[in-house]
C-alpha cells in the first residue's frame, strides 16, 4: 500500500504543477486577448470583418505573410502585379485561390 500512497502523492504533485501551468497559460491568453481587442479598435471595421470572415473559413488563419510570389496559405502562385502591390502595402490584396489577406513579410512588424 505504501507504493500506492506514493503514487497518489506523486500524482497530486504533478496535478498541482499542471494546474499552475494551466493558470499561467490562461493568464497569458487573457493578456493576448486584451491586446488583440486594443489593436482591433485601431483598425478599420470593414477590414476586421473581412479578416474574421476569412479566418473562420481558413482554419483560423486569415493572413499569409509572403516573401516571394507564393501564397503561404495555399501554395499557389501570385500574379507578378499583385506581388508588386503587396510589397507596397498600401491596399488590401487577397489570394485569388484561398482568399487569405496577403502581406509582404518585411512589412509585418
Amino acid at each position: 500500500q505504501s507504493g500506492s500512497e506514493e503514487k497518489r502523492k506523486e500524482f497530486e504533485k504533478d496535478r498541482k504543477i499542471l494546474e499552475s501551468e494551466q493558470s499561467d497559460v490562461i493568464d497569458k491568453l487573457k493578456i493576448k486577448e486584451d491586446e488583440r481587442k486594443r489593436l482591433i479598435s485601431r483598425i478599420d471595421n470593414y477590414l476586421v470583418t473581412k479578416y474574421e470572415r476569412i479566418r473562420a473559413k481558413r482554419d483560423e488563419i486569415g493572413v499569409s505573410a509572403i516573401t516571394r510570389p507564393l501564397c503561404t496559405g495555399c501554395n499557389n502562385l501570385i500574379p507578378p502585379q499583385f506581388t508588386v502591390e503587396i510589397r507596397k502595402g498600401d491596399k488590401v490584396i487577397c489570394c485569388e485561390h484561398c482568399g487569405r489577406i496577403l502581406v509582404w513579410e518585411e512589412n509585418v512588424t
Side-chain angles (χ1 to χ4, degrees):
Q1 290 199 1
S2 66
S4 174
E5 185 66 29
E6 187 177 306
K7 285 184 181 184
R8 186 163 19 127
K9 286 180 181 179
E10 185 177 329
F11 171 78
E12 284 300 318
K13 178 182 169 191
D14 290 346
R15 186 177 64 78
K16 287 180 182 179
I17 290 170
L18 289 174
E19 285 175 350
S20 174
E21 289 176 2
Q22 180 183 26
S23 178
D24 290 346
V25 169
I26 289 170
D27 290 345
K28 288 176 184 177
L29 180 61
K30 286 178 183 176
I31 290 168
K32 290 295 183 184
E33 287 172 346
D34 290 343
E35 182 181 352
R36 183 177 192 274
K37 286 177 187 175
R38 185 179 51 79
L39 291 171
I40 282 178
S41 70
R42 298 176 11 197
I43 300 172
D44 182 332
N45 214 19
Y46 166 78
L47 188 56
V48 172
T49 302
K50 183 177 183 88
Y51 166 76
E52 292 295 343
R53 193 171 0 104
I54 294 166
R55 198 178 121 195
K57 292 180 185 177
R58 299 293 175 193
D59 299 324
E60 300 296 315
I61 301 172
V63 175
S64 290
I66 61 170
T67 57
R68 55 188 179 162
L70 186 69
C71 175
T72 56
C74 66
N75 294 317
N76 280 297
L77 288 174
I78 299 166
Q81 184 57 39
F82 281 5
T83 304
V84 170
E85 292 177 24
I86 294 164
R87 285 185 96 157
K88 286 182 187 176
D90 56 359
K91 61 178 157 176
V92 177
I93 306 290
C94 293
C95 176
E96 293 178 322
H97 302 281
C98 70
R100 288 182 177 94
I101 298 170
L102 301 171
V103 294
W104 197 257
E105 191 168 290
E106 293 168 0
N107 295 343
V108 177
T109 54

